[in-house]
């Protein structure tokens, strides 16, 4: 059976974008989406509209900033960078994610009663 691509869980895309920008530095939206898909080994598929909605939300919260630049194929593109505020939020979101993942792991480890 072929493995299906998964949708991104609500709330996790912001976390993945913040971490990608923190780790890799400034990227344009298309580059962010492709990099996350590559890191997921193509398990995740990202809709361009969803990525740009997340980028707008992150900018409005001032967790990322943007400026115009030239992409690798010589096109004008908006490049996004994580802000100091975003780095602080990334630490908070990472802690939240680790707690939730721990709960999910414990629930999945439950054994059925005989």
């Amino acid at each position: 059976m072929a493995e299906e691509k998964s949708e991104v869980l609500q709330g996790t895309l912001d976390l993945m974008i913040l971490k990608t920008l923190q780790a890799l530095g400034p990227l344009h939206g298309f580059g962010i989406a492709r990099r996350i898909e590559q890191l997921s080994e193509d398990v995740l598929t990202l809709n361009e509209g969803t990525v740009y909605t997340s980028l707008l939300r992150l900018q409005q919260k001032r967790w990322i900033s943007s400026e115009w630049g030239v992409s690798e194929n010589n096109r004008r593109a908006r490049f996004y960078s994580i802000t100091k505020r975003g780095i602080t939020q990334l630490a908070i979101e990472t802690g939240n994610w680790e707690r939730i993942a721990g709960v999910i792991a414990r629930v999945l480890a439950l054994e059925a009663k005989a």
Side-chain angles (χ1 to χ4, degrees):
M1 184 168 91
E3 290 186 28
E4 293 182 28
K5 290 199 176 199
S6 299
E7 292 291 319
V8 177
L9 290 174
Q10 186 170 356
T12 60
L13 182 56
D14 289 358
L15 174 62
M16 289 190 289
I17 289 172
L18 289 173
K19 183 59 185 179
T20 300
L21 292 174
Q22 186 256 341
L24 302 177
L27 289 168
H28 51 75
F30 182 78
I32 293 168
R34 294 299 77 82
R35 188 65 185 133
I36 291 170
E37 286 178 349
Q38 287 171 352
L39 288 169
S40 80
E41 297 178 349
D42 289 325
V43 170
L44 299 177
T45 182
L46 297 177
N47 173 305
E48 300 277 326
T50 305
V51 172
Y52 285 100
T53 299
S54 184
L55 289 169
L56 179 60
R57 182 174 49 254
L58 292 170
Q59 255 191 303
Q60 289 170 341
K61 292 178 178 181
R62 294 189 288 172
W63 296 347
I64 63 171
S65 61
S66 68
E67 62 182 37
W68 287 100
V70 179
S71 69
E72 55 280 347
N73 59 2
N74 260 351
R75 293 200 173 146
R76 219 166 100 84
R78 187 174 290 271
F79 284 78
Y80 299 89
S81 301
I82 192 168
T83 63
K84 286 182 182 177
R85 209 173 183 170
I87 291 169
T88 300
Q89 191 62 34
L90 174 59
I92 293 166
E93 297 294 329
T94 299
N96 290 341
W97 175 258
E98 288 170 349
R99 277 190 297 282
I100 291 167
V103 170
I104 293 169
R106 287 190 299 275
V107 170
L108 292 177
L110 289 174
E111 297 293 327
K113 289 190 177 186

